[in-house]
């Protein structure tokens, strides 16, 4: 029962909506990872990582999608998985990680940072592999599969993707490049967490001092990873900074005009088209919808504008 | 601009979710029509109708998905389209029908029924084609395309679909039969609007006296159409009656476990698995998600359980 087929990363789901295209003033193709295993593109990375590392135990800090993805991937490859999460995490997220078979270590972040707890675990389990959700060669290689898929889509003028730690953008750039595609990749970053945009402007890797309060929780990372910065510095065409209200407006447009449920971070690409319409007007643009996992209360507020 | 490709009915989107399957105790395949043009399966019917009827003007009463679908289909084939809607219809629905280029006739249903207004219009425009959303041979033929698609899916033990006027069930039965498939079709009907279930039990077509208040607005029809009753009487294996709270629970399960936005009527098939789990336990079941068009407020209440 449960699943008829073997679990491995699914191809992305490509969707078109005339009404969304009309609203955005561009011919929009949605590449949605909301129907990927565990509900986000992160499963591509986690699967690649779990299938390649030798360690029998993988440890990661993640309050979100990477934790769920890693939990499932480790289960598939018979590895132990420990995910460090803040004790304030929504119970649905903790339950999802546990449901995929991982052990959850809850951290009271007022007492100990997530990095400190991971450090403590790495000393306790010296043979474990410590996985970054973005600054990891396997993670970037896993995400590159999406770039290779999009390289097969004819006629694209641009691909727009959210930028947090930079794992998705890095993977897209790598995958497109491997496939010989020169479709430009444009990042979409919350204006409230614009470390990557500032880094591109100043030609050096800049990290935020404190975690942003942006609704796009997948983009609250303090900065790009070192490996990600190299890909992004050399390969990203531009970054559009998206105000909070346009992240929610993007989610609302996807709901109303494309019947697509997206999480806030997953709505950033559409938010970028709303924020900088002149850049995309009348072009053929692929918006990467990175994930769909969002709590009902947060989602309701976005779609009702409350 | 707008769309890169010609507009015609899209193939259905097939999705799997391990977590939804686990929750429902069956191996569930979702066949979702939420990404069909105009957001519901109705476009299959409307396209078939508009492409075949000779009349230059098509008139229909619809407060919902058929109106939008017919408006777009008539635009594609250069036909005039008039949609009769209650004056209490949500403005987003009226705007959508108008946005696809149809003329909307708003009726104060306390003064005149929708059928009376359609009758008046048919006398005013004697050459117009009066289209039923379900009791029409072209409509059933159009919906049969979904049956033919699902006949190609291997290993299904059952297909579950919502039942309102019976247009979708009729089409599925017809399409499966044309393809030589004998996968049983099971209907999912709101317990509050169970005229079809009562009809099957009593072996005669029974219509409700008054329109049901079920949240599944696509299933508020007073009864099956005559053509639909013939298909359903002879071809439907059973009907599961779904209580209101399980319609909402179905929508919530799709939201939480499959990242899929569905309208109340579109959630009926999942509600049927919740209502009668023993019937489907450990089987391979295709749930037809008929449409995704729902107002933000209604949807928020379903997913938050408010």
């Amino acid at each position: 029962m449960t699943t008829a087929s073997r679990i491995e990363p699914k191809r992305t789901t490509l969707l078109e909506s005339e009404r969304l295209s009309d609203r955005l003033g561009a011919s929009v193709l949605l590449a949605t990872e909301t129907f990927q295993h565990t509900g986000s593109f992160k499963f591509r990375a986690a699967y690649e990582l779990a299938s390649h590392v030798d360690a029998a135990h993988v440890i990661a800090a993640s309050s979100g999608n990477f934790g769920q993805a890693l939990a499932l991937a480790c289960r598939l490859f018979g590895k132990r998985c420990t995910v460090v999460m803040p004790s304030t995490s929504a119970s649905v997220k903790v339950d999802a990680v546990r449901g995929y078979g991982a052990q959850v270590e809850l951290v009271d972040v007022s007492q100990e940072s997530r990095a400190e707890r991971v450090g403590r675990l790495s000393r306790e389990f010296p043979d474990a592999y410590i996985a970054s959700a973005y600054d990891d060669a396997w993670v970037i290689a896993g995400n590159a599969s999406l770039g290779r898929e999009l390289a097969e889509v004819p006629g694209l003028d641009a691909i727009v993707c959210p930028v947090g730690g930079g794992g998705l953008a890095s993977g897209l750039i790598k995958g497109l490049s491997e496939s010989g595609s020169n479709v430009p990749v444009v990042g979409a970053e919350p204006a409230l967490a614009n470390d990557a945009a500032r880094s591109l402007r100043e030609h050096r890797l800049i990290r935020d001092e404190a975690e942003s309060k942006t609704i796009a929780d997948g983009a609250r990372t303090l900065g790009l990873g070192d490996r990600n910065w190299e890909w992004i510095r050399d390969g990203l065409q531009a970054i559009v900074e998206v105000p909070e209200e346009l992240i929610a407006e993007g989610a609302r447009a996807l709901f109303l005009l494309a019947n697509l449920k997206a999480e806030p971070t997953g709505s950033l690409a559409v938010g970028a088209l709303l924020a900088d319409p002149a850049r995309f007007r009348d072009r053929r643009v692929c918006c990467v919808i990175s994930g769909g996992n969002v709590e009902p209360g947060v989602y309701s507020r976005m779609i009702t504008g409350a």
Side-chain angles (χ1 to χ4, degrees), chain A:
Chain A
M1 218 256 332
T2 59
T3 40
S5 53
R6 176 160 154 257
I7 293 178
E8 54 185 30
K10 301 178 195 174
R11 287 183 71 86
T12 201
T13 303
L14 297 174
L15 300 173
E16 309 240 14
S17 155
E18 296 81 36
R19 292 181 75 201
L20 185 67
S21 288
D22 287 345
R23 168 75 179 85
L24 297 175
S27 171
V28 173
L29 177 70
L30 303 173
T32 186
E33 289 284 292
T34 58
F35 306 121
Q36 184 57 264
H37 296 288
T38 71
S40 85
F41 77 97
K42 298 277 189 185
F43 185 69
R44 296 174 182 267
Y47 186 95
E48 186 83 2
L49 190 153
S51 67
H52 281 96
V53 302
D54 289 329
H57 184 186
V58 182
I59 298 172
S62 166
S63 51
N65 289 328
F66 186 64
Q68 296 185 39
L70 193 65
L72 175 57
C74 284
R75 192 183 79 192
L76 295 174
F77 291 98
K79 293 184 191 298
R80 180 175 172 188
C81 180
T82 305
V83 178
V84 174
M85 304 180 78
S87 53
T88 51
S89 301
S91 63
V92 293
K93 296 190 175 181
V94 175
D95 292 349
V97 173
R98 287 196 176 124
Y100 289 120
Q103 190 178 340
V104 172
E105 291 262 336
L106 292 174
V107 180
D108 176 352
V109 292
S110 69
Q111 301 293 316
E112 183 184 24
S113 76
R114 280 172 279 184
E116 284 165 354
R117 175 66 69 91
V118 169
R120 201 143 63 79
L121 287 166
S122 75
R123 288 186 294 277
E124 190 181 338
F125 302 103
D127 296 334
Y129 184 92
I130 310 297
S132 161
Y134 44 94
D135 194 3
D136 179 294
W138 296 121
V139 162
I140 297 170
N143 293 338
S145 62
L146 181 56
R148 292 193 298 272
E149 289 174 32
L150 296 183
E152 296 172 18
V153 178
L156 295 181
D157 294 315
I159 295 169
V160 187
C161 73
V163 175
L168 177 55
S170 305
L172 284 171
I173 295 166
K174 176 177 161 67
L176 289 162
S177 149
E178 286 169 358
S179 305
S181 164
N182 52 13
V183 176
V185 178
V186 175
E189 192 177 35
L192 281 190
N194 67 347
D195 55 277
R198 282 154 46 222
S199 297
L200 275 190
R201 274 197 290 276
E202 302 198 15
H203 308 289
R204 66 188 177 89
L205 179 52
I206 296 172
R207 290 195 172 87
D208 285 330
E209 296 283 306
E211 191 171 291
S212 166
K213 302 284 191 204
T214 175
I215 192 175
D217 52 349
R220 285 182 194 152
T221 40
L222 296 180
L224 300 169
D226 294 322
R227 288 174 184 79
N228 313 104
W229 167 238
E230 290 183 20
W231 282 106
I232 284 172
R233 180 191 59 201
D234 300 336
L236 201 70
Q237 187 184 58
I239 292 188
V240 176
E241 295 169 60
V242 186
E244 291 294 292
E245 63 272 19
L246 294 185
I247 300 173
E249 182 60 29
R252 186 171 152 87
L254 287 167
F255 174 90
L256 286 174
L257 306 175
N259 278 339
L260 186 64
K261 175 201 175 193
E263 62 183 75
T265 310
S267 307
L268 272 166
V270 172
L273 270 70
L274 292 166
D276 191 0
R279 179 187 295 274
F280 302 104
R281 176 123 36 231
D282 293 349
R283 314 299 296 274
R284 176 70 169 159
V285 182
C286 175
C287 289
V288 177
I289 312 299
S290 54
N293 300 328
V294 52
E295 291 155 74
V298 172
Y299 191 66
S300 295
R301 286 191 290 279
M302 288 200 299
I303 61 172
T304 60

